[in-house]
Amino acid sequence: MDSVFFMDEEARARFLRSLAQSACCTYVCLWYYYPPPSNYLIFMDGLYNDQSDLQPRSSFGCLDRKFFDCYRQCVYSIDKGYVPGLAFKEGLPYLELKELELLNRVSTVTQRQFYQEARIKVRLTLIHIHQHVYIPPFIYSGSHILWTSAAFMGCRSGEIEIGYKGPTEHNLEMEMKRWFPDDFYLQSQHKELPPAPKQNRPSSSSSSLKSLSMCSSPSTEYSSLLFNIPSTSNMPISLREASVEQPTKHKQQYHGLYQAPYPNPESDDAAMTRAILAVISSPSTSSSSYQTQQNPPHQNQVSHRTSAFKSYNPVLASKFQTKATSLHRQSMLKQAISFLHNMRLKKLQEQMQGTPRNSISTQLTHMISERKRREKLNESFQALKSLLPPGSKKDKASVLSSTRNYLQTLKAEISELKQKNQLMESRWFSSANKEAEKEVSGSSSTCSSTARVEIQLIQAAESTSDGQGIDLKVSVKGDCKMLDLVIRILEFLRKVDMEFLSVEADTQLQQTTTLNQVIIRLNNKGSEWDELAFREAIARIVADVTR
Amino acid sequence: MDSVFFMDEEARARFLRSLAQSACCTYVCLWYYYPPPSNYLIFMDGLYNDQSDLQPRSSFGCLDRKFFDCYRQCVYSIDKGYVPGLAFKEGLPYLELKELELLNRVSTVTQRQFYQEARIKVRLTLIHIHQHVYIPPFIYSGSHILWTSAAFMGCRSGEIEIGYKGPTEHNLEMEMKRWFPDDFYLQSQHKELPPAPKQNRPSSSSSSLKSLSMCSSPSTEYSSLLFNIPSTSNMPISLREASVEQPTKHKQQYHGLYQAPYPNPESDDAAMTRAILAVISSPSTSSSSYQTQQNPPHQNQVSHRTSAFKSYNPVLASKFQTKATSLHRQSMLKQAISFLHNMRLKKLQEQMQGTPRNSISTQLTHMISERKRREKLNESFQALKSLLPPGSKKDKASVLSSTRNYLQTLKAEISELKQKNQLMESRWFSSANKEAEKEVSGSSSTCSSTARVEIQLIQAAESTSDGQGIDLKVSVKGDCKMLDLVIRILEFLRKVDMEFLSVEADTQLQQTTTLNQVIIRLNNKGSEWDELAFREAIARIVADVTR
DNA sequence: TGAGACACGTGATAC
DNA sequence: TGTATCACGTGTCTC
């Protein structure tokens, strides 16, 4: 198990219970920690729409750029509808939004808006750093980490890290499900807990941080911003109403729990202060210089204190410095996203089941069913695409049209093959018959009946779509003007409304007599056909010729 | 030409010019005139959002039901975004909305809203009837009409009937294009005409009615409603802005033109009054009784007056009383709708071209391109559906999945056939090689030459004691009267002093072309043989047949 | 009435 | 920069 869990399981389970009981997992964060100076992990609080503090502080100007380039947060705030996407590529910050399109896209929050907000957030965080920066031991003690990442899930009453890292094939979904047993979905907002309005701050994505020490000295200057609920004025009505439904009453419920198991905040604060000072005093480098290693000076200062976090194991991390990380990150992202997607659907279904008879629930039903429908359609498209010859383009219209062409090609090929097959079959039979007759004729008299002339009309078994195949087989024993016979028959056929397919005629020597055989394949194109008259006519011709 | 045009061409052309110059064909009406008592044609003015007069007037209660059941109007008010759809089926009023889905659906005006509005409108019209009902001569004089219909197009400055009727295959689009030449699209809102604010009434869908007589005594009680511009507050911004762009300045420009060519309004008014009284005094029947014929008593009263309308020719109408009308109506609807759809797209494109650099034009571009994309996708879906085995369902997901299955089936079939073929081929070769190996040794040329006709003469290796075996092989690529070819060759061979051994002839499908092959085995009994002459003779025959 | 199917306009991305 | 495609939520209709 390569996952690294930052909290001990007991603390995790407590948070988990709080999440399950409050039944409103409202957001999930995916953090990406970039190589040095990412040894410093900075927690950032939610997203803020208030743009009043947009101006960059000159004193943090250099840091701003640096941190903004180095740290990215991929936040999926479920019921707020934020769907930003940021990732790294080739070791450099890069936008990878493809995977995030799978998520719910709330049109009122655009990508650009998110970047704005992210920038604001980063700035606020950087301002916040003075007071709140935290260097978690697992990062702090691991000076050789190049890549690590973690996922958070949280609600208004608490947050939990679903931590994972590195290029493992570990199934995030399973992990999350392990932490969120099935009854998580079933315990909807039915449980009412006693309200405790004393601590009024709403949800925050750094509860684990706060639970350790971060509530010690909040800057009053920014706390109003930092703890603001993000404005929902731009959100669609249904979501807005849905989010209003979230219980916001039992924050205090777990307050003691937050504080209890963790050490003295002051020592952490001092450590953090030193840490951020070290970061600030480090030269402002360009993004390319981030590749250079930096050994933070506080390495052993905090790593041994008691904590809910397990200490980081650098051995596990050192083997993850390979190049193929971006792929694994992607798959991690995908896993996380699909899981979250499903989770959100389930949550919506739960919500809908809980309140079955109002307009917003029908809206929700409609939305998720429409989503499912789209999903199904896209799956079908994918499946279809996989069946096509590989060189084709991938957009839907192309898939459809090339499918059409491909179908036609296949059909043509099939008909060709069938025809070829038929031909071969007839040849095969005729040649086989020849031999068979040669062989059989001696012993058996079934075929070589006493009759001199034999006329067979065989309806071919495989009748193609455009007609019924008919084999006319004329056998004449003894001498016979073969050429005349064939010509006469063919001339007769010219007058008949049937398609001429093939003729075979030859003369074989059987023991005593010669056997003249004419096999003609015709295609009766659906028109009525008097078989008796046809046979009689042939018989007359044969009689005429052999007379 | 089965179309019936109600205006003479000169008046029509004048209206047309006004439409073209104002360049804002803002709506189109399709009228359906139901069987008796539809001999009375009632013009209805546009749609009204003002619901202040929703209460049915009891004095018109019976009429209300009757007319509302009998008369339907299919209005497509282009830049107002109304997309209602009403039609008849099996002789009874029926909603056929399928075709209208092709049109622009403005989500803010729901179907239900339209019905409301239609009901309002009909009621208003019924109230209006007292003053304005008009019995056009072409309806009036044709008491035997069962079905007739007409299309109107109009803008703020005028209206024109694109009249048509009956189950003809007449192409409405061509007709409309005849009346709206190409430059109609090019003369966008560039021409500025002097404003004439005197006549303030905006667009109305019964200008031709008014142009005849209807302005004579408008009820002041309802005129404010009737001439209200429908509220656009519910419309999307883009459309709202677009409609604002419509020139509304040159209403007076054509005012004289409306009035000039038409007869005295008073006489019409009297006729109408009589007509509506006749309708009102007739018993209020159920919809089933509409099948009964009614002969209006005013038949000859108005039919002979001079008018811009041509008199209706009952002979033309009498032959359209067949049963298949609904189908033709549908196709008419479809034609009209697709034309209007395209026209609207063109108009939007024009608008967009006129104002290339603002946000609403990009929105328009986006919208119409997205529409086109959807259209293309749907066409592809249709095309794909048509290729599938006919028994399948028709929804998109089913199309995709069944296509997938079908593809797999076809692929399996192909592989099976190929396998079978290979097997047969190996058999064939194993049996045929024995003979073939011997034969090939003579003279062989590449079979896949480019020549269309190929004649091979191969001397069989095994020359028996009683002669020299000769294979004549004639290949003709492309279509060819195989039967004739064989007969001609055989007849030629009859004249040649050679023993006929066998003939094989068939037609194969090669990749793109058909390959006709005749193989004849002869035995040259020792006599001298002019191969060149033989070959030439065969070539002549082949050329003769394939010519 | 309720689920499924479509079309629509819109925001966003990719080239 | 303009022109594709795509996903989304919503309105509507059908069964």
Side-chain angles (χ1 to χ4, degrees):
Chain A
M1 168 85 77
D2 288 327
S3 291
V4 178
F5 293 99
F6 313 124
M7 296 175 76
D8 68 19
E9 303 231 345
E10 190 191 339
R12 194 181 288 273
R14 272 197 298 269
F15 278 115
L16 203 59
R17 270 199 301 278
S18 82
L19 275 176
Q21 283 170 359
S22 66
C24 53
C25 178
T26 57
Y27 65 90
V28 168
C29 305
L30 300 179
W31 287 79
Y32 291 100
Y33 307 135
Y34 195 63
S38 73
N39 289 358
Y40 304 97
L41 174 62
I42 296 177
F43 284 94
M44 308 178 190
D45 279 353
L47 298 178
Y48 305 99
N49 279 326
D50 188 332
Q51 307 202 359
S52 58
D53 200 49
L54 246 174
Q55 300 308 313
R57 302 298 172 105
S58 57
S59 57
F60 296 107
C62 54
L63 251 188
D64 187 341
R65 173 71 190 283
K66 190 170 163 183
F67 274 86
F68 188 66
D69 284 342
C70 285
Y71 295 97
R72 299 295 189 213
Q73 182 188 26
C74 173
V75 174
Y76 179 42
S77 178
I78 290 180
D79 70 354
K80 299 196 194 78
Y82 288 119
V83 192
L86 289 162
F88 294 93
K89 191 177 187 178
E90 316 272 339
L92 287 174
Y94 185 78
L95 312 185
E96 290 182 14
L97 299 159
K98 269 285 173 51
E99 302 93 338
L100 291 157
E101 287 184 358
L102 303 171
L103 287 174
N104 178 28
R105 291 168 57 165
V106 176
S107 58
T108 49
V109 177
T110 71
Q111 210 87 39
R112 247 170 238 115
Q113 280 176 314
F114 169 72
Y115 293 147
Q116 285 255 325
E117 288 169 332
R119 192 174 285 274
I120 298 167
K121 183 195 60 187
V122 171
R123 283 183 181 138
L124 288 175
T125 306
L126 288 171
I127 293 163
H128 203 46
I129 276 174
H130 267 312
Q131 312 289 337
H132 294 300
V133 71
Y134 175 62
I135 304 169
F138 75 96
I139 292 291
Y140 188 73
S141 63
S143 57
H144 294 100
I145 306 168
L146 282 188
W147 291 98
T148 184
S149 48
F152 296 82
M153 290 177 81
C155 66
R156 296 179 191 280
S157 58
E159 183 183 74
I160 187 169
E161 301 107 329
I162 309 296
Y164 64 97
K165 71 160 296 301
T168 97
E169 287 299 329
H170 177 64
N171 189 342
L172 176 66
E173 177 175 341
M174 289 311 296
E175 190 58 37
M176 292 173 106
K177 278 194 174 153
R178 191 165 78 84
W179 288 109
F180 290 83
D182 281 334
D183 61 354
F184 170 72
Y185 300 119
L186 302 177
Q187 300 175 358
S188 301
Q189 58 269 38
H190 301 312
K191 306 191 179 178
E192 279 299 322
L193 293 171
K198 198 164 279 180
Q199 188 185 11
N200 269 334
R201 69 162 175 86
S203 157
S204 149
S205 64
S206 63
S207 63
S208 61
L209 170 68
K210 291 194 194 66
S211 66
L212 273 167
S213 62
M214 285 312 99
C215 292
S216 56
S217 56
S219 153
T220 51
E221 184 182 357
Y222 299 110
S223 60
S224 65
L225 275 178
L226 290 172
F227 294 146
N228 251 346
I229 305 179
S231 157
T232 59
S233 62
N234 282 331
M235 287 162 53
I237 289 174
S238 59
L239 285 174
R240 213 182 306 154
E241 287 176 331
S243 67
V244 167
E245 284 184 359
Q246 303 295 336
T248 59
K249 298 171 185 173
H250 27 75
K251 294 154 201 155
Q252 187 62 32
Q253 176 80 4
Y254 305 101
H255 182 252
L257 183 142
Y258 293 157
Q259 301 286 358
Y262 304 119
N264 186 347
E266 268 66 34
S267 66
D268 284 300
D269 212 357
M272 281 182 302
T273 306
R274 281 191 296 275
I276 189 57
L277 285 179
V279 171
I280 293 175
S281 59
S282 73
S284 172
T285 55
S286 74
S287 62
S288 63
S289 72
Y290 296 155
Q291 309 288 345
T292 64
Q293 284 275 346
Q294 292 185 0
N295 272 336
H298 326 81
Q299 185 161 348
N300 300 317
Q301 239 169 330
V302 205
S303 59
H304 295 121
R305 66 177 173 78
T306 62
S307 161
F309 290 91
K310 287 177 176 175
S311 69
Y312 175 70
N313 182 358
V315 180
L316 283 177
S318 60
K319 57 180 173 185
F320 298 139
Q321 307 183 4
T322 58
K323 64 240 167 290
T325 46
S326 77
L327 182 136
H328 292 93
R329 237 177 307 126
Q330 279 198 13
S331 89
M332 284 197 305
L333 243 185
K334 274 184 182 167
Q335 281 179 42
I337 284 165
S338 78
F339 173 77
L340 294 175
H341 193 71
N342 292 333
M343 197 184 66
R344 185 170 182 227
L345 285 186
K346 280 189 183 173
K347 222 183 73 171
L348 290 178
Q349 280 172 335
E350 288 297 323
Q351 278 188 0
M352 184 208 64
Q353 267 198 347
T355 60
R357 281 296 154 265
N358 50 21
S359 64
I360 80 152
S361 79
T362 47
Q363 276 298 79
L364 283 179
T365 321
H366 184 33
M367 196 184 73
I368 61 178
S369 66
E370 176 67 12
R371 256 188 225 173
K372 278 180 184 168
R373 178 181 160 270
R374 271 197 300 266
E375 210 171 307
K376 211 171 64 180
L377 262 180
N378 283 337
E379 280 172 11
S380 299
F381 263 108
Q382 292 292 338
L384 198 56
K385 203 189 300 177
S386 68
L387 282 185
L388 291 180
S392 48
K393 281 166 70 178
K394 65 178 190 303
D395 74 274
K396 293 187 182 180
S398 310
V399 167
L400 285 184
S401 59
S402 58
T403 303
R404 202 169 78 97
N405 293 335
Y406 193 44
L407 262 183
Q408 281 171 333
T409 315
L410 287 189
K411 278 187 175 178
E413 194 172 346
I414 279 191
S415 68
E416 191 182 337
L417 275 177
K418 269 189 178 168
Q419 195 160 356
K420 209 167 149 190
N421 232 330
Q422 203 173 359
L423 182 71
M424 298 264 275
E425 208 162 301
S426 67
R427 274 192 198 167
W428 165 253
F429 277 127
S430 67
S431 68
N433 278 352
K434 284 178 206 164
E435 297 172 18
E437 284 168 13
K438 283 176 197 166
E439 297 163 7
V440 171
S441 57
S443 57
S444 81
S445 62
T446 55
C447 192
S448 60
S449 62
T450 54
R452 190 177 166 224
V453 176
E454 195 174 352
I455 298 173
Q456 283 178 278
L457 275 171
I458 304 167
Q459 306 226 349
E462 358 99 61
S463 65
T464 57
S465 59
D466 51 11
Q468 166 73 48
I470 296 172
D471 279 354
L472 166 65
K473 194 166 169 184
V474 179
S475 312
V476 180
K477 279 180 193 160
D479 282 336
C480 157
K481 286 199 175 175
M482 190 63 169
L483 198 53
D484 289 355
L485 178 64
V486 175
I487 291 175
R488 289 288 300 274
I489 292 178
L490 291 183
E491 275 178 342
F492 164 71
L493 290 180
R494 187 144 63 169
K495 292 179 264 177
V496 176
D497 182 26
M498 276 201 258
E499 190 185 9
F500 170 77
L501 292 182
S502 69
V503 58
E504 279 180 51
D506 67 349
T507 306
Q508 294 165 17
L509 231 74
Q510 286 187 338
Q511 284 108 334
T512 57
T513 64
T514 57
L515 175 63
N516 304 288
Q517 226 174 1
V518 184
I519 301 175
I520 294 173
R521 175 154 292 196
L522 301 168
N523 189 30
N524 183 21
K525 289 193 168 181
S527 61
E528 281 305 310
W529 178 53
D530 189 352
E531 182 175 332
L532 243 69
F534 188 90
R535 187 185 284 272
E536 267 184 32
I538 295 289
R540 253 198 310 278
I541 290 172
V542 175
D544 206 31
V545 172
T546 58
R547 189 175 28 157
Chain B
M1 168 84 75
D2 288 325
S3 291
V4 179
F5 293 100
F6 313 123
M7 296 175 75
D8 68 18
E9 302 229 345
E10 189 190 340
R12 193 180 288 274
R14 270 196 300 268
F15 279 116
L16 203 59
R17 269 200 302 278
S18 81
L19 275 175
Q21 282 167 2
S22 65
C24 52
C25 178
T26 57
Y27 66 91
V28 168
C29 305
L30 300 179
W31 287 79
Y32 291 98
Y33 306 134
Y34 196 65
S38 73
N39 289 357
Y40 303 97
L41 172 63
I42 295 176
F43 284 92
M44 307 180 190
D45 279 350
L47 299 177
Y48 305 98
N49 280 326
D50 190 332
Q51 307 203 358
S52 57
D53 201 48
L54 246 174
Q55 299 309 313
R57 304 296 174 105
S58 58
S59 57
F60 296 108
C62 53
L63 252 191
D64 185 344
R65 172 72 190 282
K66 189 170 167 182
F67 276 88
F68 188 65
D69 283 341
C70 283
Y71 296 95
R72 300 299 189 208
Q73 182 186 27
C74 171
V75 174
Y76 179 42
S77 176
I78 290 180
D79 69 353
K80 298 195 195 77
Y82 289 117
V83 190
L86 290 162
F88 294 95
K89 191 176 185 176
E90 316 271 340
L92 289 174
Y94 185 80
L95 312 186
E96 289 182 14
L97 300 158
K98 268 285 171 52
E99 302 94 337
L100 291 158
E101 287 184 0
L102 301 170
L103 287 174
N104 178 29
R105 291 168 54 166
V106 176
S107 56
T108 48
V109 177
T110 71
Q111 209 87 40
R112 244 169 240 115
Q113 280 176 313
F114 169 71
Y115 292 147
Q116 285 256 324
E117 289 168 332
R119 192 172 287 275
I120 299 166
K121 184 196 60 187
V122 171
R123 283 181 180 140
L124 288 176
T125 306
L126 288 171
I127 293 162
H128 203 47
I129 277 174
H130 266 313
Q131 311 290 340
H132 294 300
V133 69
Y134 175 62
I135 305 168
F138 73 96
I139 292 289
Y140 188 73
S141 64
S143 58
H144 293 101
I145 305 168
L146 282 188
W147 290 100
T148 183
S149 46
F152 296 81
M153 291 177 80
C155 66
R156 296 180 192 280
S157 58
E159 183 182 76
I160 187 167
E161 301 109 329
I162 310 296
Y164 63 98
K165 72 158 296 303
T168 95
E169 287 300 329
H170 178 63
N171 188 342
L172 176 65
E173 177 176 343
M174 290 311 297
E175 190 57 39
M176 293 173 108
K177 278 194 176 153
R178 190 165 79 86
W179 288 108
F180 290 83
D182 281 334
D183 61 354
F184 169 74
Y185 302 116
L186 303 176
Q187 300 177 1
S188 299
Q189 58 272 39
H190 302 311
K191 304 192 179 180
E192 279 300 320
L193 293 170
K198 199 163 277 178
Q199 188 184 13
N200 268 335
R201 69 160 176 87
S203 157
S204 151
S205 64
S206 62
S207 66
S208 62
L209 171 67
K210 291 193 195 67
S211 67
L212 271 167
S213 61
M214 286 313 104
C215 292
S216 57
S217 55
S219 152
T220 51
E221 186 182 358
Y222 300 109
S223 61
S224 65
L225 275 179
L226 289 171
F227 294 147
N228 251 348
I229 305 179
S231 157
T232 58
S233 63
N234 282 331
M235 288 163 51
I237 289 174
S238 59
L239 285 175
R240 213 180 308 152
E241 287 175 331
S243 67
V244 167
E245 285 181 0
Q246 302 293 341
T248 59
K249 300 171 184 172
H250 28 78
K251 294 157 201 153
Q252 188 60 32
Q253 176 81 2
Y254 306 101
H255 181 253
L257 183 141
Y258 293 155
Q259 300 287 358
Y262 303 117
N264 186 348
E266 268 67 33
S267 67
D268 282 301
D269 212 354
M272 282 181 301
T273 305
R274 280 192 297 274
I276 189 60
L277 285 179
V279 171
I280 292 174
S281 59
S282 75
S284 171
T285 54
S286 74
S287 60
S288 61
S289 71
Y290 296 155
Q291 309 287 347
T292 64
Q293 285 274 347
Q294 293 187 358
N295 273 336
H298 325 80
Q299 184 159 347
N300 299 319
Q301 236 167 333
V302 203
S303 60
H304 294 122
R305 63 178 177 80
T306 63
S307 163
F309 290 91
K310 289 178 174 174
S311 68
Y312 175 70
N313 182 357
V315 180
L316 283 176
S318 59
K319 56 180 173 183
F320 298 139
Q321 307 185 6
T322 59
K323 67 246 166 286
T325 46
S326 77
L327 184 135
H328 292 95
R329 237 175 308 124
Q330 280 198 14
S331 90
M332 284 197 305
L333 243 185
K334 275 184 181 167
Q335 280 179 43
I337 283 165
S338 78
F339 171 77
L340 295 175
H341 193 73
N342 293 333
M343 196 183 66
R344 182 165 185 232
L345 285 186
K346 279 190 183 175
K347 221 181 74 170
L348 290 179
Q349 280 171 336
E350 288 296 325
Q351 278 187 0
M352 185 208 64
Q353 266 197 351
T355 60
R357 282 296 151 265
N358 49 21
S359 63
I360 79 151
S361 77
T362 46
Q363 276 297 80
L364 284 178
T365 323
H366 184 31
M367 196 185 73
I368 62 179
S369 65
E370 178 68 12
R371 257 189 226 174
K372 278 180 183 167
R373 179 182 158 268
R374 271 196 299 265
E375 211 170 307
K376 213 172 61 181
L377 262 179
N378 282 338
E379 281 172 10
S380 300
F381 263 108
Q382 292 292 337
L384 197 54
K385 204 187 303 176
S386 69
L387 282 185
L388 290 180
S392 48
K393 280 166 70 177
K394 65 178 190 299
D395 73 275
K396 292 187 180 179
S398 310
V399 166
L400 285 184
S401 58
S402 59
T403 302
R404 202 170 79 97
N405 294 336
Y406 193 44
L407 263 183
Q408 282 172 333
T409 314
L410 286 188
K411 277 186 174 180
E413 194 172 348
I414 278 189
S415 65
E416 191 184 338
L417 275 176
K418 272 187 176 168
Q419 200 170 353
K420 205 168 151 191
N421 230 331
Q422 211 165 16
L423 184 67
M424 302 263 280
E425 212 159 295
S426 64
R427 273 193 205 163
W428 167 256
F429 274 127
S430 66
S431 68
N433 272 354
K434 301 165 199 163
E435 307 167 15
E437 281 168 12
K438 301 166 194 167
E439 297 169 3
V440 171
S441 56
S443 72
S444 79
S445 62
T446 57
C447 197
S448 62
S449 69
T450 54
R452 181 164 178 244
V453 177
E454 198 175 351
I455 300 172
Q456 283 177 283
L457 276 168
I458 304 168
Q459 307 225 350
E462 5 107 51
S463 59
T464 57
S465 60
D466 55 335
Q468 166 72 47
I470 296 174
D471 279 356
L472 166 63
K473 192 168 169 186
V474 179
S475 312
V476 180
K477 283 180 189 158
D479 284 337
C480 159
K481 286 199 173 174
M482 192 62 170
L483 199 53
D484 290 355
L485 180 65
V486 175
I487 291 174
R488 289 289 299 272
I489 291 178
L490 292 183
E491 277 178 343
F492 164 72
L493 291 180
R494 188 145 61 167
K495 292 179 262 176
V496 176
D497 182 23
M498 276 198 262
E499 187 187 7
F500 171 80
L501 292 182
S502 71
V503 59
E504 278 181 44
D506 68 349
T507 304
Q508 294 169 16
L509 226 76
Q510 285 190 333
Q511 288 97 334
T512 56
T513 62
T514 57
L515 177 64
N516 306 286
Q517 229 172 4
V518 184
I519 301 174
I520 296 171
R521 176 158 293 192
L522 302 167
N523 192 28
N524 184 17
K525 291 193 173 179
S527 62
E528 279 306 307
W529 179 54
D530 189 352
E531 181 175 334
L532 243 67
F534 188 90
R535 184 184 287 270
E536 265 182 39
I538 295 292
R540 253 198 311 276
I541 290 172
V542 174
D544 205 32
V545 172
T546 60
R547 191 173 31 153

